Amino acid sequence: MATLKAPIDDIKYLINEFLETDELSNIPTFSEMTTDLTDAIFEQAGKVSETLLFPLNKAGDEQGCTYHDGVVTTPDGFKEAYQEMTASGWGNLTCDPKYGGQGLPHYIANAVDEMLISSNMSFTMYMGLTIGAYNAIEKFAHEDLKEKFLSNMVSGQWSGTMCLTEPQCGTDLGLIRTKAVPQSEGNYHLSGSKIFISAGEHNLTENIIHLVLARTPDAPSGIKGISLFLVPKFNVHDDGTLAELNGVFCSGIEHKMGINASSTCSIEFDNAKGFLVGELNKGMKAMFVMMNSARLHVGIQGLAIAQASYCSAKDYAKERLQGRALSGAKYPEQAADPLIVHPDIRRMLMTMKAYTEGARALSSWLSYKLDLSQHADNKQQRQEADELVSLLTPVFKSFLTDIGETVTSLGIQVYGGHGYIRENGMEQYLRDARISKIYEGANGIQALDLVGRKLPEQMGKYLRHFFHPISNFLEQYANDKPLTAYILPLQKSFSRLQQATLFIAQKGLSDPDEAATAASDYLNMFGLVALGYMWAKMAEQITYRKGEMSADFYDAKLKTGLFYMQRLLPQTGSLLSNILAGCNSTMSLKEEQF
Amino acid sequence: MATLKAPIDDIKYLINEFLETDELSNIPTFSEMTTDLTDAIFEQAGKVSETLLFPLNKAGDEQGCTYHDGVVTTPDGFKEAYQEMTASGWGNLTCDPKYGGQGLPHYIANAVDEMLISSNMSFTMYMGLTIGAYNAIEKFAHEDLKEKFLSNMVSGQWSGTMCLTEPQCGTDLGLIRTKAVPQSEGNYHLSGSKIFISAGEHNLTENIIHLVLARTPDAPSGIKGISLFLVPKFNVHDDGTLAELNGVFCSGIEHKMGINASSTCSIEFDNAKGFLVGELNKGMKAMFVMMNSARLHVGIQGLAIAQASYCSAKDYAKERLQGRALSGAKYPEQAADPLIVHPDIRRMLMTMKAYTEGARALSSWLSYKLDLSQHADNKQQRQEADELVSLLTPVFKSFLTDIGETVTSLGIQVYGGHGYIRENGMEQYLRDARISKIYEGANGIQALDLVGRKLPEQMGKYLRHFFHPISNFLEQYANDKPLTAYILPLQKSFSRLQQATLFIAQKGLSDPDEAATAASDYLNMFGLVALGYMWAKMAEQITYRKGEMSADFYDAKLKTGLFYMQRLLPQTGSLLSNILAGCNSTMSLKEEQF
């Protein structure tokens, strides 16, 4: 059976030692974030993950959500757990205290989120969607709407959704057909069909606040005619109490590969009362606020499921007796040695560990940059951080969800035949992780966002926020003997990334197909280098400024980082080779030749 | 919804043009294999795949097998289809005509198998296991047993199994505990528990013939004390009619990630009457005959499921309208262009196509070598072919099943959110394909077999059967202008493979952990080069000796081969880099540091 133990030590190390959070210590709420307090938060989050959510994970997958006549019922135990989780405030860590949130920095909240998702990805979808909707409302909606809706969302009494996809349009939102007809009172009546709506209907909360993309009757065609609307399931009186049911109906739920306990709904809007959020025809702008927050969240899903799988795989590899070490029996008193003595098992475990811990470091680091983008003292610092987060968001979403699939598949492999059996829980991780490469912008779309939008932005300005610090770091430690094994491989891969960047910048100007063909490989190089940078920074810090973790902990970090440099980072070589080959062989077949 | 069309053209091309089968034209049965006849076989196999088996695939996955009180029921329609398939002889293509088989060469039969598996992998397991058992009995059992059992297995009236795994042992068969106690009449009574027995119990046939690994009371410990026994579910009278139920009981079936319509059984043997197959304590030898045949079959499963996924993905990419081509609308009269105009979609489709067609070429080529190993005129030719097949079997099993996972995951991605929905069938392919990396020796075990057994065999003699022809081919075309784009990349990757081979041979001698750490990466390099060799050979043949396929067909082959050379084969670079890094970073953590 799968086991779960929250990676508290690694999180404490990252937050207390790896991140240098002094820049934000002037912010009142943040200055309260003493190590004692954050350690207590992490311990508690680990505890609820292990004891409250994880026990519901396997059963939730087996039972799934059920649908009957518009009503969606979540698996047994979900409702009680949801009440307990929201009552304890786990659903509103980053929300504004003005609405009842806890105003915690992202670098704390995201570490908590990883633990919660690890233990039950489906469950956390209901809380995660609410935060996405909260963010968009908080940033774009009129004060009246905020007053009316946000407190109950922050408390967890009401949940939120993002209603984007329609049967005829997923990625291409310009094809949206849902109509919003203006009414004399200033609101709108929405009609249309949405599909794939996570948490679109369920029995966890008394109301559901849908954020819906739609077009008004005389809106321009394409994405320039799309607006965002707030459409509650139940209308709400001015005093905040619930009124009659709105014209919102769940017409069915999907049967999926995974995240079976997360309801994925078809929602019909039939003259449903809605309120404009943000400006007319500027819906995509507001939508991207939801999406960017959601994309970071989805990247963390990749990391979290990888962690869950690694945790079980390493435990199994220590317990399961099979075969003998090649160098002679390690446990001659037992019938066989444990799996972990075998080099090929170690290759898998080390791959899982190096990706997961590298991804966690990137997650902490990027989350802190997000905090800086919102709270740093001076504007330039905020803007720089914002641009860096903007650059790295597609990389984070795509690369970490790729890691999610890679690691969970390795987790199955470590278990052998037992990994394929549902009861043991390992195959659920792969099934659950697989969606994260698809939703919130499929990974190919993330790559196009990186190459087509983020790279060219202000002649490479965003890019320089990432490349300059790496260059400086590499220069500073170029002749540093103890760090050679980290610096040289990073230098090599970083040069490849620079070369690929130049190739794309030059070729992409004359032929957009060149840039688009290279995009996914380029994003993967980017991700590999980003994690390489994290590992090198950790190695540097541990080598010169050890903190309070155990000697074994630091030793394992250095060795795992070395494995990353030697056995994962070199993939940049073949990726560069792919990119330099150009787009011809990819694009030259006629459609009928497929 | 998933669509399926058997790749008849590609198969005809491989069999009629790519393979040069003159060497076997003296064999009586084989000389009848005119193009007209084989084309007719392929057309017919395509038809039953598309119209009989494929319609049962999705429903079979949803319904699964059910278990009640020792009885296993396969999904609706399976029994009728099984009767139709076996009555038409699809289950005994390679079996000896002496027992009612059709005596077809493997290169024909395996092409047929690919089509059948594509359409319904679970269904074909029942037929495939029977052939595995047939092979071992035919090769090792006493004439009396053959007389008594083989005809009914060949006709499909009875099916077969391989009973190896026990709860405490999967890979490490030395830990087997099932007991076989000799009886005065010369037979044995078997008692013990086996798990993960595919087709171990079902309602398709009137009897099931189990091949069971067990140990006699005074057998040596470990794998040297293991013998192979034939244990029928129902005992059989001398006249071939069924007698009483034997001491064989199915105590349950597994709930798995995929292949839900294939029963995976726990089987209890309780003083079950069994017969020794082959020599006492030489069970592993006979077992390897089953395993090698099964490993090729499993490699073909990887190919087949990749083909199924590719077939649906390309159709969907041509139909689904989403976004516009970067170079300007291709279908301005439609609301959007089809997915296939997008470079990142093409990257995925080309990857799927290049892997799948390369794997199919390798499958045909290796199957023909298998025929040569059994039927070539002179002994040396047979032995050489046998050693080559022996060398490539682990590569084929592991690399093609890796391709199965890679391609089916891409298939989901091409479908986007719709790929995650069970109804559409794409996610089933990944779930079904995933087992093929695990059973019949997990892929890591295949890598150890390659590096630990096959490479050192007779000082690299087996290896030379593969390396010499590649060297000769590369030398012959070294300065061939039209083939440069194929020869140079193959040359580069082949050099890397040679370098890795030398590294492993040298380092492995002093430290077995070095060879074992490198094994999986080495096998992947091997597989990449093997497919590269196939693609280069196809390019050479098409460039200089075109046959009767259409100009578009040859053009697509050359371009797909180019894509393979430019965008898949370069992975050998990072793999070499991994290998040369040695085993230190993989092996240096203490167990408690995981």
Side-chain angles (χ1 to χ4, degrees):
Chain A
M1 290 292 289
T3 50
L4 187 83
K5 193 158 173 8
I8 303 276
D9 273 359
D10 205 38
I11 288 172
K12 285 184 185 171
Y13 156 72
L14 290 170
I15 306 298
N16 300 340
E17 301 185 11
F18 179 63
L19 292 187
E20 282 151 6
T21 54
D22 309 337
E23 290 162 294
L24 285 183
S25 54
N26 294 334
I27 315 291
T29 354
F30 293 8
S31 62
E32 293 165 15
M33 292 295 117
T34 61
T35 304
D36 282 353
L37 178 63
T38 58
D39 283 2
I41 293 175
F42 297 142
E43 300 282 356
Q44 195 54 32
K47 199 173 149 199
V48 296
S49 299
E50 293 165 15
T51 60
L52 179 63
L53 300 187
F54 185 61
L56 299 175
N57 190 44
K58 187 76 232 148
D61 177 65
E62 292 292 334
Q63 191 182 356
C65 291
T66 48
Y67 173 86
H68 184 70
D69 252 359
V71 175
V72 175
T73 309
T74 55
D76 295 344
F78 268 49
K79 187 161 185 173
E80 295 73 17
Y82 186 84
Q83 277 159 358
E84 193 171 335
M85 290 297 289
T86 49
S88 315
W90 295 111
N92 59 26
L93 298 177
T94 58
C95 297
D96 195 329
K98 186 172 154 190
Y99 302 108
Q102 305 188 45
L104 291 188
H106 292 285
Y107 73 86
I108 306 284
N110 285 344
V112 169
D113 268 355
E114 185 210 316
M115 289 189 265
L116 303 181
I117 298 166
S118 270
S119 64
N120 198 326
M121 176 164 155
S122 287
F123 182 91
T124 55
M125 300 273 297
Y126 299 98
M127 303 200 299
L129 267 298
T130 305
I131 295 300
Y134 164 91
N135 286 337
I137 298 170
E138 202 272 329
K139 182 144 186 181
F140 291 100
H142 189 274
E143 205 56 45
D144 294 350
L145 286 178
K146 294 196 208 181
E147 285 298 326
K148 200 162 170 181
F149 290 96
L150 288 185
S151 299
N152 281 330
M153 292 175 75
V154 168
S155 72
Q157 260 182 287
W158 300 349
S159 68
T161 77
M162 294 161 59
C163 297
L164 283 53
T165 305
E166 299 182 3
Q168 78 291 353
C169 69
T171 295
D172 187 355
L173 292 171
L175 301 174
I176 277 177
R177 290 184 195 143
T178 297
K179 281 277 169 227
V181 182
Q183 305 298 304
S184 51
E185 313 93 90
N187 56 34
Y188 293 79
H189 279 182
L190 278 86
S191 297
S193 301
K194 296 284 180 180
I195 61 168
F196 296 171
I197 308 308
S198 296
E201 180 56 48
H202 56 76
N203 61 339
L204 301 179
T205 58
E206 60 186 32
N207 202 2
I208 299 174
I209 311 306
H210 301 284
L211 286 182
V212 186
L213 290 184
R215 51 175 83 250
T216 50
D218 45 8
S221 67
I223 58 164
K224 286 176 183 162
I226 293 186
S227 306
L228 183 67
F229 300 89
L230 184 159
V231 185
K233 174 180 166 186
F234 285 98
N235 285 308
V236 177
H237 291 302
D238 284 341
D239 65 357
T241 57
L242 295 186
E244 76 290 354
L245 192 61
N246 202 352
V248 179
F249 179 74
C250 174
S251 57
I253 59 173
E254 304 288 348
H255 297 98
K256 311 184 296 293
M257 182 183 197
I259 54 165
N260 290 323
S262 166
S263 66
T264 304
C265 305
S266 300
I267 303 282
E268 303 292 328
F269 294 96
D270 182 12
N271 278 314
K273 193 172 173 183
F275 308 92
L276 185 67
V277 174
E279 291 175 56
L280 203 63
N281 299 331
K282 295 278 166 64
M284 293 301 283
K285 192 178 158 196
M287 192 276 290
F288 267 111
V289 166
M290 284 193 287
M291 284 292 264
N292 278 333
S293 141
R295 283 173 177 179
L296 291 179
H297 187 78
V298 172
I300 294 170
Q301 288 181 337
L303 158 64
I305 301 294
Q307 165 63 27
S309 179
Y310 169 68
C311 183
S312 284
K314 78 174 168 57
D315 284 351
Y316 188 75
K318 292 179 193 181
E319 279 162 22
R320 170 80 172 169
L321 306 182
Q322 208 74 181
R324 286 293 182 192
L326 293 169
S327 49
K330 288 254 169 81
Y331 297 85
E333 74 287 2
Q334 296 179 338
D337 285 339
L339 287 180
I340 202 166
V341 305
H342 302 300
D344 197 63
I345 296 287
R346 288 211 169 221
R347 174 189 64 80
M348 295 193 276
L349 291 177
M350 288 300 294
T351 302
M352 298 169 83
K353 184 172 167 69
Y355 270 141
T356 305
E357 292 181 12
R360 183 175 297 120
L362 185 66
S363 177
S364 294
W365 184 81
L366 190 62
S367 300
Y368 181 63
K369 298 290 178 190
L370 183 60
D371 290 317
L372 281 178
S373 76
Q374 296 170 346
H375 301 289
D377 273 348
N378 70 70
K379 196 187 161 195
Q380 197 200 329
Q381 215 184 351
R382 287 198 300 276
Q383 188 179 335
E384 238 184 77
D386 185 59
E387 291 169 354
L388 179 67
V389 172
S390 178
L391 173 77
L392 290 178
T393 295
V395 178
F396 189 80
K397 191 274 179 183
S398 174
F399 193 65
L400 266 63
T401 57
D402 280 357
I403 285 177
E405 182 177 26
T406 302
V407 169
T408 54
S409 183
L410 287 171
I412 292 174
Q413 200 68 18
V414 169
Y415 264 64
H418 298 273
Y420 199 67
I421 305 301
R422 288 219 300 262
E423 190 185 1
N424 294 320
M426 298 304 282
E427 57 85 45
Q428 185 191 346
Y429 292 138
L430 175 54
R431 289 188 291 104
D432 285 355
R434 189 62 188 77
I435 188 60
S436 64
K437 293 178 66 160
I438 299 172
Y439 61 19
E440 304 308 337
N443 284 3
I445 296 297
Q446 304 298 327
L448 293 178
D449 178 42
L450 175 66
V451 161
R453 290 204 197 98
K454 306 297 170 62
L455 284 200
E457 188 65 53
Q458 296 177 55
M459 303 291 287
K461 184 181 171 214
Y462 287 16
L463 194 67
R464 287 192 291 278
H465 296 322
F466 185 62
F467 278 16
H468 280 179
I470 300 186
S471 293
N472 294 341
F473 178 81
L474 287 171
E475 205 170 302
Q476 187 180 352
Y477 294 99
N479 298 308
D480 187 285
K481 277 268 156 46
L483 291 178
T484 309
Y486 304 90
I487 297 299
L488 285 186
L490 179 60
Q491 173 66 62
K492 194 168 182 177
S493 285
F494 182 55
S495 301
R496 288 170 177 158
L497 181 61
Q498 289 174 306
Q499 202 181 335
T501 307
L502 201 64
F503 176 89
I504 289 172
Q506 286 172 344
K507 289 273 187 173
L509 278 181
S510 54
D511 183 356
D513 280 347
E514 281 286 359
T517 300
S520 280
D521 287 333
Y522 181 76
L523 183 144
N524 288 335
M525 284 186 85
F526 215 107
L528 283 162
V529 169
L531 257 61
Y533 180 43
M534 293 299 114
W535 275 115
K537 279 169 73 81
M538 289 191 277
E540 182 270 336
Q541 195 188 44
I542 290 169
T543 304
Y544 294 109
R545 297 182 307 285
K546 272 198 189 67
E548 295 175 8
M549 308 301 293
S550 72
D552 254 10
F553 179 91
Y554 291 122
D555 179 65
K557 270 279 175 244
L558 290 175
K559 285 172 175 164
T560 307
L562 199 61
F563 179 90
Y564 183 84
M565 296 295 169
Q566 292 183 347
R567 293 198 164 250
L568 299 176
L569 188 56
Q571 292 170 85
T572 53
S574 6
L575 294 171
L576 176 63
S577 174
N578 287 356
I579 291 170
L580 298 183
C583 75
N584 195 36
S585 66
T586 307
M587 298 301 291
S588 60
L589 284 196
K590 290 180 286 188
E591 287 179 24
E592 59 272 26
Q593 285 179 307
F594 283 93
Chain B
M1 290 290 290
T3 50
L4 187 82
K5 194 157 172 6
I8 303 277
D9 274 359
D10 205 38
I11 288 173
K12 285 185 186 172
Y13 156 72
L14 290 170
I15 306 298
N16 300 338
E17 301 184 11
F18 180 63
L19 292 187
E20 283 151 4
T21 55
D22 309 337
E23 290 162 292
L24 284 184
S25 55
N26 295 331
I27 314 290
T29 355
F30 292 9
S31 62
E32 294 165 14
M33 293 294 116
T34 61
T35 304
D36 282 353
L37 178 62
T38 57
D39 283 4
I41 293 174
F42 297 142
E43 299 282 357
Q44 195 54 33
K47 199 174 149 198
V48 296
S49 300
E50 294 165 16
T51 60
L52 179 63
L53 300 187
F54 185 61
L56 299 176
N57 189 45
K58 187 77 232 148
D61 177 65
E62 291 292 333
Q63 192 183 353
C65 291
T66 48
Y67 173 87
H68 184 70
D69 252 359
V71 175
V72 175
T73 308
T74 55
D76 295 345
F78 268 50
K79 187 159 184 173
E80 296 74 16
Y82 186 84
Q83 278 160 356
E84 193 172 335
M85 290 296 289
T86 50
S88 317
W90 295 111
N92 60 25
L93 299 177
T94 57
C95 297
D96 195 329
K98 185 173 155 190
Y99 303 107
Q102 307 188 44
L104 291 187
H106 292 285
Y107 73 86
I108 307 283
N110 285 345
V112 169
D113 268 356
E114 185 210 315
M115 288 190 264
L116 304 181
I117 298 166
S118 270
S119 64
N120 198 325
M121 177 165 154
S122 287
F123 182 91
T124 56
M125 300 273 296
Y126 297 99
M127 303 200 298
L129 267 297
T130 305
I131 296 300
Y134 164 90
N135 287 337
I137 297 170
E138 202 273 329
K139 182 144 185 179
F140 291 100
H142 189 274
E143 205 55 45
D144 295 350
L145 286 178
K146 295 197 208 180
E147 284 298 325
K148 200 162 170 181
F149 290 96
L150 288 186
S151 299
N152 281 330
M153 291 175 75
V154 167
S155 71
Q157 261 182 287
W158 300 349
S159 69
T161 77
M162 295 162 60
C163 298
L164 282 54
T165 305
E166 299 183 3
Q168 78 290 353
C169 69
T171 295
D172 188 355
L173 292 171
L175 301 174
I176 278 178
R177 290 183 196 146
T178 298
K179 282 276 169 227
V181 182
Q183 305 298 304
S184 50
E185 315 94 90
N187 56 33
Y188 293 80
H189 279 182
L190 278 85
S191 298
S193 301
K194 296 284 180 179
I195 61 168
F196 296 171
I197 308 308
S198 296
E201 180 56 46
H202 56 75
N203 60 339
L204 302 179
T205 58
E206 59 187 32
N207 201 3
I208 299 174
I209 311 305
H210 301 285
L211 286 182
V212 185
L213 290 183
R215 51 176 84 250
T216 50
D218 44 9
S221 67
I223 58 164
K224 286 175 184 161
I226 292 186
S227 306
L228 183 66
F229 299 89
L230 185 159
V231 184
K233 174 179 164 186
F234 285 97
N235 286 307
V236 177
H237 291 302
D238 284 340
D239 64 358
T241 57
L242 296 186
E244 76 291 353
L245 193 61
N246 202 353
V248 179
F249 179 74
C250 173
S251 57
I253 59 173
E254 303 290 348
H255 297 97
K256 310 183 297 292
M257 181 183 198
I259 56 165
N260 289 323
S262 166
S263 67
T264 304
C265 305
S266 300
I267 303 282
E268 303 292 328
F269 295 96
D270 181 13
N271 278 314
K273 192 172 174 182
F275 308 92
L276 184 66
V277 174
E279 290 174 58
L280 203 64
N281 298 333
K282 295 278 167 64
M284 293 301 284
K285 192 177 156 195
M287 192 275 291
F288 267 111
V289 165
M290 284 194 287
M291 284 292 265
N292 278 332
S293 142
R295 283 172 178 180
L296 291 179
H297 187 78
V298 172
I300 294 171
Q301 289 181 336
L303 159 63
I305 301 294
Q307 165 63 28
S309 179
Y310 169 69
C311 183
S312 285
K314 77 175 166 59
D315 285 351
Y316 187 76
K318 291 179 193 182
E319 280 163 21
R320 170 81 172 168
L321 306 181
Q322 207 75 181
R324 287 293 182 193
L326 292 170
S327 49
K330 287 256 170 79
Y331 298 84
E333 74 287 2
Q334 296 179 338
D337 285 339
L339 287 180
I340 201 166
V341 305
H342 301 300
D344 197 63
I345 295 288
R346 288 210 169 224
R347 173 189 65 80
M348 295 193 275
L349 290 177
M350 288 301 294
T351 302
M352 298 169 82
K353 183 173 169 69
Y355 270 140
T356 304
E357 293 182 12
R360 183 175 298 119
L362 185 66
S363 176
S364 293
W365 184 80
L366 189 62
S367 299
Y368 181 63
K369 298 291 179 190
L370 183 60
D371 290 317
L372 281 178
S373 77
Q374 294 170 347
H375 301 291
D377 272 349
N378 70 69
K379 197 188 160 193
Q380 198 200 327
Q381 215 185 350
R382 287 198 299 277
Q383 190 180 334
E384 239 184 76
D386 185 60
E387 291 169 356
L388 180 67
V389 171
S390 178
L391 172 76
L392 289 178
T393 295
V395 178
F396 189 81
K397 191 276 179 181
S398 174
F399 193 65
L400 266 64
T401 57
D402 280 357
I403 285 177
E405 182 176 26
T406 302
V407 169
T408 54
S409 183
L410 287 171
I412 293 174
Q413 200 69 17
V414 169
Y415 265 64
H418 298 273
Y420 199 68
I421 305 300
R422 288 218 301 263
E423 190 185 1
N424 293 320
M426 298 303 283
E427 59 84 44
Q428 184 191 346
Y429 291 139
L430 176 53
R431 288 188 290 102
D432 285 355
R434 190 63 189 77
I435 188 59
S436 64
K437 294 177 64 161
I438 298 171
Y439 61 17
E440 304 308 337
N443 285 1
I445 295 298
Q446 305 298 327
L448 293 177
D449 179 42
L450 175 66
V451 161
R453 289 205 198 98
K454 305 299 169 62
L455 285 200
E457 188 65 52
Q458 296 177 54
M459 304 290 287
K461 184 179 171 215
Y462 287 16
L463 194 68
R464 288 192 291 278
H465 297 321
F466 185 62
F467 277 16
H468 280 179
I470 301 186
S471 293
N472 294 341
F473 178 82
L474 288 170
E475 205 170 303
Q476 188 181 350
Y477 294 100
N479 298 307
D480 187 287
K481 278 268 155 49
L483 292 178
T484 309
Y486 304 89
I487 297 299
L488 285 187
L490 180 60
Q491 173 66 65
K492 193 168 183 177
S493 284
F494 181 54
S495 299
R496 287 169 177 158
L497 182 61
Q498 288 174 307
Q499 203 181 334
T501 308
L502 200 65
F503 177 89
I504 289 172
Q506 287 172 343
K507 289 274 186 173
L509 277 181
S510 55
D511 183 355
D513 281 347
E514 283 285 0
T517 300
S520 280
D521 287 333
Y522 181 75
L523 183 145
N524 288 335
M525 284 185 86
F526 215 107
L528 283 163
V529 169
L531 257 61
Y533 181 42
M534 293 298 115
W535 275 115
K537 278 169 75 81
M538 290 191 276
E540 182 270 336
Q541 196 188 43
I542 289 168
T543 305
Y544 293 109
R545 297 182 308 284
K546 271 199 190 68
E548 295 175 5
M549 308 301 292
S550 71
D552 253 11
F553 179 92
Y554 291 122
D555 180 66
K557 270 280 175 242
L558 289 176
K559 285 171 175 163
T560 308
L562 200 61
F563 179 90
Y564 184 85
M565 296 295 170
Q566 292 182 348
R567 293 198 164 251
L568 299 176
L569 188 55
Q571 292 169 86
T572 53
S574 359
L575 294 170
L576 176 63
S577 174
N578 287 357
I579 292 170
L580 297 183
C583 75
N584 195 36
S585 65
T586 307
M587 298 301 292
S588 59
L589 284 196
K590 291 180 285 188
E591 287 178 24
E592 59 272 26
Q593 285 179 308
F594 283 94

